[in-house]
Amino acid sequence: MKKNRKAILAMITTAVLAAGALAGCGSASGNTTEAAGTEAGTTASTAADTSADTTADTTTAETAADETAADLSGSISMVGSTSMEKFANALSEAFMEKYPDVTVSAQFVGSGAGVEAVLNGTADIGNSSRNLKDEEKEKGAVENIVAIDGIAVVVDPANGVADLTREQLADVYTGKINNWKDLGGSDAPIVVVGRESGSGTRGAFEELLGLEDACKYSNELDSTGAVMAKVASTPGSIGYVSLDVLDDTVKALNLEGAEPTEENIKAGSYFLSRPFVMATKGDLSQQSELVQALFAYLRSDEGAELVKSVGLITIE
């Protein structure tokens, strides 16, 4: 603003000096002097008006944004999938930084429990790492897909097997294949690790393979982190986790020759992928101002960058 004022004053001063110089040339150039002075004054006036209008528009926009931020206050509760913990925590932190008077809390107790919480009114949002079931939708739960997650099949780092077919993977989890030598690996028993009943990751994994209630687990663990730790420390083990939590403590297998990458998931060549759902009771138009603002943030460019930053795939 100060720079604009200085520029305007400089223009006006220049115009006045120019007019004075012309006036000093004598009466013969009087008409020219008058015209120059008028033109200079008009130019300066126009510049001042334009600058004032621009400054006013900017100030109005900034004021509106500040007022919107100031108007948002209160709390939002999310309950659900442990697989969505990294995403939900990042979203909570980013949204609270943008709106300091808003508190976003998240609990991670499984997808089924999250949907149940939103239906019984104890949570604003139920996080689910699977598509909603028909019976959940019939009770009023609405499926709001916010990102896509790949499911990685992992083994301990020393395992010599690098690739499985869909059929081989299904046979491992149903117990038809129980030794790694039958898959081209060493002569060692397969330790089948999975998630607990009600887990969104388990539900999606079994559904994608057509193995609902048919898997035979050696260990059923209650979190993504527990599966990672078990597989990393147990020779001969195999498990499944969200793609975004992969690290070098485990080895991710290719499936049908495709690596578990965003590009392969989008191309459809890697078949183990599932949606991240933020379920609400009723559609978004029926939600509180705060919940609507949270979803609006996710649909923004900032929201898209946040989704990518935690290793997930945007839905667009």
Side-chain angles (χ1 to χ4, degrees):
M1 182 68 181
K2 289 181 178 179
K3 291 182 178 179
N4 289 339
R5 287 175 176 170
K6 288 180 179 179
I8 294 167
L9 288 172
M11 292 176 65
I12 293 172
T13 301
T14 301
V16 171
L17 289 175
L22 288 171
C25 292
S27 59
S29 57
N31 292 337
T32 303
T33 301
E34 183 179 352
T38 301
E39 183 177 353
T42 301
T43 301
S45 177
T46 301
D49 290 343
T50 301
S51 176
D53 290 342
T54 302
T55 302
D57 290 342
T58 302
T59 303
T60 300
E62 290 174 348
T63 301
D66 291 341
E67 287 176 352
T68 299
D71 287 344
L72 283 180
S73 62
S75 61
I76 302 172
S77 58
M78 296 190 289
V79 175
S81 171
T82 62
S83 296
M84 293 175 67
E85 181 172 357
K86 184 177 179 181
F87 164 75
N89 283 338
L91 173 60
S92 299
E93 290 170 9
F95 195 73
M96 288 190 290
E97 183 176 352
K98 190 175 182 68
Y99 301 107
D101 292 329
V102 177
T103 300
V104 184
S105 62
Q107 298 179 44
F108 308 102
V109 293
S111 298
V115 177
E116 182 180 351
V118 81
L119 286 175
N120 64 30
T122 57
D124 298 307
I125 295 169
N127 288 336
S128 173
S129 51
R130 58 164 171 78
N131 289 108
L132 297 188
K133 299 176 182 179
D134 289 340
E135 55 265 35
E136 292 169 336
K137 293 179 180 179
E138 289 169 2
K139 293 177 181 178
V142 173
E143 183 177 89
N144 306 296
I145 298 176
V146 295
I148 303 295
D149 178 42
I151 299 176
V153 176
V154 295
V155 296
D156 67 282
N159 197 309
V161 174
D163 192 297
L164 294 177
T165 66
R166 180 190 290 265
E167 183 179 1
Q168 287 173 328
L169 182 60
D171 286 347
V172 166
Y173 271 87
T174 55
K176 292 180 182 179
I177 296 177
N178 52 37
N179 194 298
W180 285 107
K181 68 180 180 180
D182 297 324
L183 299 168
S186 60
D187 185 1
I190 300 174
V191 180
V192 180
V193 179
R195 290 293 305 279
E196 81 286 4
S197 178
S199 158
T201 309
R202 173 171 169 167
F205 178 81
E206 294 183 356
E207 183 180 346
L208 288 166
L209 287 173
L211 301 178
E212 294 93 330
D213 303 318
C215 291
K216 296 181 179 179
Y217 295 100
S218 302
N219 296 270
E220 298 181 46
L221 305 177
D222 62 3
S223 73
T224 298
V227 172
M228 287 279 285
K230 182 68 176 179
V231 172
S233 62
T234 308
S237 60
I238 185 171
Y240 48 79
V241 297
S242 293
L243 186 65
D244 67 298
V245 301
L246 281 180
D247 58 33
D248 57 9
T249 64
V250 295
K251 172 183 172 181
L253 298 180
N254 294 349
L255 298 178
E256 300 283 0
E259 294 182 43
T261 64
E262 177 179 339
E263 292 73 22
N264 287 337
I265 289 171
K266 285 186 173 181
S269 57
Y270 185 84
F271 64 84
L272 282 184
S273 65
R274 43 77 183 273
F276 270 8
V277 174
M278 291 172 60
T280 53
K281 187 174 184 179
D283 60 36
L284 294 182
S285 66
Q286 298 174 276
Q287 305 310 307
S288 68
E289 180 184 17
L290 283 179
V291 171
Q292 290 188 42
L294 184 67
F295 278 95
Y297 173 80
L298 276 171
R299 290 193 296 267
S300 70
D301 291 341
E302 286 180 86
E305 287 304 313
L306 182 140
V307 168
K308 294 175 184 177
S309 73
V310 293
L312 299 173
I313 302 167
T314 56
I315 58 175
E316 295 180 356

